[in-house]
Structures are given as structure tokens and as C-alpha cells.
Amino acid sequence: SAVISQKPSRDICQRGTSLTIQCQVDSQVTMMFWYRQQPGQSLTLIATANQGSEATYESGFVIDKFPISRPNLTFSTLTVSNMSPEDSSIYLCSVDPRIVTGGSYNEQFFGPGTRLTVL
Amino acid sequence: KQEVTQIPAALSVPEGENLVLNCSFTDSAIYNLQWFRQDPGKGLTSLLLIQSSQREQTSGRLNASLDKSSGRSTLYIAASQPGDSATYLCAVYAGGGNKLTFGTGTQLKVEL
């Protein structure tokens, strides 16, 4: 398994500002993922963050709005830019430690999430 | 496009009852299926992972089954407790970049 921490755990922000969310993993992982969970909804994948390359974004999500950094194998950041109330969500990072640990099964582990409220 | 549905959307049961949560998916070409638990305002806790070649997995009072050909999975919770109250999510992995597709969730409340 993997232990994942996120900062901040929650924040209240003003419209038009930006917030950077940090995700730290206790072991090296190749692939990290960022998800959004809007109120009352299930999880939607924003992007896959690979170390040493550009993030891969899902349909409906763009780099200008959600820039991602992945400076090493244990850390990633997601920035929510030029925020509006529609960005109010829980943002979660997850990892698949399989490739580094040599396991044979794909199993994802999630961080505790960042609850964002935009006024 | 893979779609994952969970029934029921909400469930309230008295403590001690055995219960079944359902998950269905439209594309049976999956590698595995994962069940998660989410407490209000929190992240996800992985409960069980079933590979496509497996029929079921067990952990404590939890048992998950998979019928890949019919696109269904069930999560069985035995002797439910108030601490089991949470939202339960299933997610399928069908390859292509390790992307998980999540279901809509079942919100469970176990009452004293």
C-alpha cells in the first residue's frame, strides 16, 4: 500500500484567486492522479501526473486551469487557477504503487482530499 | 465509454443486518474492480480489489463478488455496525493509462 498526505486539508478562497494543493507519498511511485469530486457527485479524473513528462489531461480539463507539477517520484501539486464557485469540490490525489513495488495488480490508493470552497 | 452504476443510491438499515450493495458496468472488458469507502468530507479507503480472473474477495465482514460477463459486482457486508455508515464506491479499471471509472456511490446508514 501507500500512505498519502495532502495539504491543505481544506480552504476557503475568493473568486479569481488560485490555490495550489500538495500531495506527498511515502514511497516512490511512477503514476499519480488528480481527481475532482463535486458536491454530491462521484469522482472524475482531472489528469495523470507522470514524473519527467507533461501531465495528461482528461476531456474537459485544461492545463491553463489546472496546472500540475511532478518534480519527483514522491510529490505532486495541482493548482486550481482563477477560481469560481463552480470549482468548489473535494480534490483528491491517488497513486498506483504497483510499478515501483513490482506488484502485479493495479490498485489505487487515495489521499485524504482537499475540500475547497470558493466564494 | 464505460459507465458504472450503483444501486441503491442510499440505504438505511438497523444494526446487525446483513446487506448487499450492487455495482454494474457497461463494458465487461475490465482488468479489475475496486471497492472503496468514503466518510463524509474525507478521502477514499480501499476495501477490496478483485481481478478480472477472480470471482470474489473477502476481508473481515466484507465479501465482494464479480461476474465480469454480466457486468456486475456486489459488496456484501455481514452483521452491519454503525461504524459502517459511509458512502461506498465501486470503480473499474479497463487499462489505457490506469484510469479508474467510478460509480455513483451508495450512501449507507446503519442505525442503532
Side-chain angles (χ1 to χ4, degrees):
Chain A
S1 65
V3 178
I4 304 163
S5 60
Q6 285 185 234
K7 289 182 181 179
S9 58
R10 59 175 60 219
D11 207 342
I12 300 173
C13 301
Q14 296 297 319
R15 180 195 299 261
T17 63
S18 298
L19 176 71
T20 295
I21 302 168
Q22 299 179 4
C23 178
Q24 180 76 51
V25 189
D26 69 340
S27 58
Q28 294 183 332
V29 294
T30 303
M31 302 183 79
M32 297 178 74
F33 308 90
W34 286 99
Y35 287 83
R36 180 176 75 180
Q37 186 178 30
Q38 294 176 301
Q41 304 294 314
S42 193
L43 278 74
T44 301
L45 181 65
I46 298 172
T48 301
N50 302 314
Q51 195 271 336
S53 64
E54 294 286 329
T56 302
Y57 289 83
E58 297 298 307
S59 176
F61 297 96
V62 295
I63 187 171
D64 289 347
K65 175 66 176 178
F66 297 102
I68 288 171
S69 78
R70 183 78 199 274
N72 57 53
L73 291 175
T74 64
F75 186 78
S76 178
T77 67
L78 169 75
T79 299
V80 186
S81 303
N82 188 25
M83 289 184 285
S84 67
E86 291 72 35
D87 294 319
S88 297
S89 298
I90 298 175
Y91 291 85
L92 300 109
C93 72
S94 75
V95 305
D96 173 4
R98 170 177 52 121
I99 296 173
V100 175
T101 61
S104 56
Y105 302 138
N106 173 83
E107 182 174 6
Q108 288 195 18
F109 299 91
F110 282 77
T114 296
R115 180 184 284 272
L116 170 62
T117 301
V118 184
L119 303 177
Chain B
K1 178 186 175 185
Q2 179 75 267
E3 293 184 2
V4 182
T5 305
Q6 292 183 243
I7 295 173
L11 182 63
S12 182
V13 301
E15 181 180 13
E17 259 198 27
N18 302 323
L19 56 100
V20 175
L21 308 181
N22 298 290
C23 172
S24 61
F25 44 96
T26 55
D27 186 347
S28 62
I30 65 169
Y31 284 86
N32 61 46
L33 183 145
Q34 200 167 347
W35 282 94
F36 295 90
R37 167 187 173 138
Q38 185 176 32
D39 293 286
K42 305 294 185 181
L44 275 64
T45 300
S46 179
L47 298 174
L48 289 165
L49 173 73
I50 311 178
Q51 298 299 315
S52 61
S53 58
Q54 299 174 321
R55 299 287 287 182
E56 64 179 309
Q57 282 287 331
T58 299
S59 177
R61 295 183 292 110
L62 304 179
N63 176 276
S65 67
L66 175 64
D67 185 343
K68 182 181 167 184
S69 61
S70 67
R72 295 179 183 176
S73 176
T74 61
L75 179 66
Y76 175 82
I77 302 177
S80 58
Q81 303 170 358
D84 295 330
S85 299
T87 296
Y88 290 80
L89 295 161
C90 69
V92 298
Y93 167 58
N98 286 27
K99 177 181 177 179
L100 285 178
T101 302
F102 278 85
T104 47
T106 293
Q107 188 172 6
L108 172 65
K109 183 176 181 181
V110 181
E111 299 175 318
L112 290 169

